[in-house]
Amino acid sequence: MQPNFPDLKGKSVFITGGGSGIGAFLTEGFLTQGAKVAFVGRSDASAFCDEMAQKHGQRPLFIQCDITDVTALKAAMDQVADAHGPITALVNNAANDKRHETLEVDEKFWDWSQSINLKAYFFACQKAIEGMKEVGGGAIINFTSISYMMGNAGYPAYTTANSGINGMTRSLAREFGADKIRVNAIAPGWVLTEKQKELWVTPEALEDHLSRQCLKDTLAPDDIVGPTLFLASDASKMMTGQAMVVDGGVVVTG
């Protein structure tokens, strides 16, 4: 059960990576609020859209797009605005936490990692802000991670981007607050998506991580939906420039 935020009904919402993993749960979460949801992803998500239409009586708009292609990303956002009205809630969710060793990273890998994990976020924000200014405001939610807060090894390019997302979030919140545009970040802990289970979840790794959590339940994608809806809604209308951590109590902020 998710909380209900009446002001999200009819809102034009755009989600990157909204057809799989946490993103698919976000798409469904906004649909249950009555929002007009659009998302992009690299893989065909037609079957997922069919499922959502049958389940909720409303079909999300899917545009196949590689978010590292900034021109294509902006064109997709224009298409969404034409179909659903100006985007007033942007969720930068798509990311890739491919594991890598510092001494093995070359320039090509570095540029790829920053392109998908940070650069695309900035230009999606830039595009969304243009429309939000015209309609008098909006909300941006940038997904980061607790990985950089923990000082985790094993994916330094990814944690660098995560830290950059927080810096960008704070700067944009300051710059566009007068336009009634709120910019916040959400930092999930280790969410057990199907990808995580396939690639990195082992009994030993999970036990070690749970030992660091105050709450001993594992995190599921659905646990991230409510906080995201909250940040997109007027319930958080005086929150901006913040990073909301949803990790079961691993890191401590403040």
Side-chain angles (χ1 to χ4, degrees), residues 95-97 100 113-114 117 144-145 147 155-163:
N96 193 305
D97 59 350
H100 53 275
S113 182
Q114 300 312 304
N117 292 311
T144 177
S145 165
S147 57
Y155 39 22
Y158 174 71
T159 56
T160 298
N162 284 166
S163 183

Side-chain angles (χ1 to χ4, degrees), residues 28-63:
E28 183 166 18
F30 278 103
L31 284 174
T32 63
Q33 303 291 312
K36 294 180 287 187
V37 185
F39 69 92
V40 290
R42 292 183 62 186
S43 302
D44 182 32
S46 300
F48 171 68
C49 292
D50 291 341
E51 178 189 349
M52 291 298 99
Q54 183 175 11
K55 188 174 180 179
H56 299 289
Q58 185 177 352
R59 185 182 183 85
L61 172 60
F62 166 61
I63 303 168

Side-chain angles (χ1 to χ4, degrees), residues 5 10 34 37 41 57 76 78 83 102 106 131 138-139 156 184 192 199-200 206 240 251:
F5 297 100
V37 185
D78 280 333
T102 296
D106 58 18
N184 291 293
L192 301 189
L199 296 178
W200 298 300
L206 192 56
T240 195
V251 300

Side-chain angles (χ1 to χ4, degrees), residues 30 42 45 52 60 70 75 85 108 169 175 215 225 229 234-235 245 252:
F30 278 103
R42 292 183 62 186
M52 291 298 99
V70 172
K108 181 178 179 181
T169 295
E175 184 173 355
L215 304 173
V225 176
L229 297 176
D234 289 342
V245 176
V252 178

